[in-house]
Amino acid sequence: MTPSEVLRDLSKKVGPSNAKALVASLYGDIAHFISLRYIRADELEDIFHITTRLLKGEPLQYVVGYCEFMSLRFKVTPSVLIPRPETEVLVEIVLKRASPDDIYFDLGTGSGAIAVSLSYYGRMFGYAVDISSSALEVARENAIINGVFEKIEFIHADSLTPLMVPEINERVTLIVSNPPYIPSPMLEELPQAVKHEPRMALDGGPDGLLHYKRIFGEFRDLIRGKRIFLEFAPYEAVHLEELLQKADVEKYEFLKGLDGEVRYLEVHA
């Protein structure tokens, strides 16, 4: 088959944009692919394989092995949540309100998208923390890919427990997180592609607020004096404010996303 025939066939099966992304993942770019005289049988087999994965509902980012976030390239695997555009806004908020002297604590780093972006654009040092060792491996690779490995210390730990170490707590000025916030009962209703992502990166407990309750309840004393930037589901705003009031947090600000919905929170703990 010629490249044009392959691309036309792929476009019918998975759509033009997905077809171009699949080809680019195998050949580097579309121009190189189109310049070929014909596609060998073994190459067609590779194309068929990744197309089948996509048709079975696997996210495009997992199929091609990478995604773009904050104009940076990130490796993604089924061990990590695929970074969303909404989280880019969270990073932009932090960058506008922080300085290179701040030291961040990225809670639930996953692919390292937040940590790498803050260190790359904000020139900040920070801690990238995750309970998943396989996620941390991906985050480390992404820090290397984007040239900020020396600015980030990776810690395998649960939630904010590293702040129990005095040396770390004294250094950290910012806590940044996009924690799992989907209520457990809603997980089965998610689109098929999202179900391929790690459950622990999605599951926010019975009411979706499990991790926020830990931050402002279980770890209340550890976060005093720090600024906290969080992403959350818009429908959780009222309950989240109740949590803040219960924790005697007086200074906080809810911020809207590009869609006009309240989706972010800055807290002075």
Side-chain angles (χ1 to χ4, degrees):
M1 294 180 72
T2 66
S4 296
E5 289 172 336
V6 172
L7 199 55
R8 187 162 53 249
D9 183 57
L10 276 177
S11 295
K12 291 179 181 178
K13 293 178 178 177
V14 300
S17 61
N18 284 341
K20 290 178 181 178
L22 291 175
V23 168
S25 72
L26 291 174
Y27 292 88
D29 60 65
I30 294 295
H32 171 65
F33 177 73
I34 294 297
S35 70
L36 300 173
R37 293 183 62 186
Y38 64 92
I39 307 303
R40 301 193 312 268
D42 60 320
E43 294 176 307
L44 288 173
E45 185 65 29
D46 290 338
I47 292 172
F48 173 78
H49 174 67
I50 62 175
T51 302
T52 300
R53 289 172 60 189
L54 196 61
L55 290 173
K56 287 182 177 180
E58 191 171 348
L60 174 66
Q61 295 88 339
Y62 288 160
V63 174
V64 301
Y66 66 88
C67 71
E68 187 176 281
F69 182 86
M70 293 293 293
S71 299
L72 300 173
R73 187 181 177 101
F74 285 85
K75 173 183 177 178
V76 288
T77 74
S79 296
V80 301
L81 189 76
I82 298 167
R84 271 42 172 197
E86 292 83 1
T87 306
E88 291 183 319
V89 178
L90 175 66
V91 171
E92 290 168 353
I93 289 170
V94 178
L95 289 172
K96 289 178 182 177
R97 300 186 177 208
S99 77
D101 294 328
D102 279 306
I103 296 178
Y104 64 80
F105 185 104
D106 177 17
L107 169 58
T109 194
S111 66
I114 292 175
V116 169
S117 298
L118 291 178
S119 288
Y120 186 90
Y121 292 108
R123 304 187 303 280
M124 286 180 264
F125 177 85
Y127 298 93
V129 182
D130 207 293
I131 196 171
S132 167
S133 57
S134 55
L136 279 177
E137 285 303 313
V138 175
R140 286 191 184 96
E141 287 189 53
N142 283 323
I144 294 170
I145 290 169
N146 290 289
V148 294
F149 184 75
E150 294 182 357
K151 289 183 174 292
I152 305 173
E153 182 173 335
F154 298 89
I155 303 176
H156 182 215
D158 176 35
S159 193
L160 294 175
T161 53
L163 292 181
M164 294 177 181
V165 179
E167 292 81 3
I168 295 178
N169 198 310
E170 290 168 6
R171 297 190 71 196
V172 170
T173 58
L174 307 174
I175 297 171
V176 187
S177 184
N178 174 28
Y181 55 67
I182 298 176
S184 302
M186 292 176 59
L187 292 175
E188 294 307 314
E189 302 172 15
L190 295 173
Q192 187 60 39
V194 179
K195 290 181 180 179
H196 283 269
E197 298 184 76
R199 187 182 179 96
M200 72 165 57
L202 299 167
D203 193 348
D207 58 2
L209 296 170
L210 172 64
H211 298 283
Y212 305 96
K213 290 176 180 177
R214 296 192 71 190
I215 292 170
F216 297 109
E218 180 181 346
F219 299 112
R220 180 64 179 98
D221 291 336
L222 294 177
I223 63 175
R224 293 188 188 279
K226 307 185 188 305
R227 284 191 294 161
I228 304 170
F229 296 87
L230 299 171
E231 182 177 337
F232 59 90
Y235 55 79
E236 293 169 337
V238 173
H239 299 298
L240 193 49
E241 187 163 22
E242 291 173 355
L243 276 180
L244 296 175
Q245 294 170 350
K246 185 177 180 180
D248 294 322
V249 174
E250 297 181 354
K251 191 173 182 181
Y252 57 88
E253 180 182 2
F254 285 98
L255 303 162
K256 293 181 179 180
L258 298 176
D259 58 1
E261 295 269 22
V262 173
R263 188 179 293 275
Y264 312 99
L265 172 67
E266 178 182 1
V267 171
H268 291 251

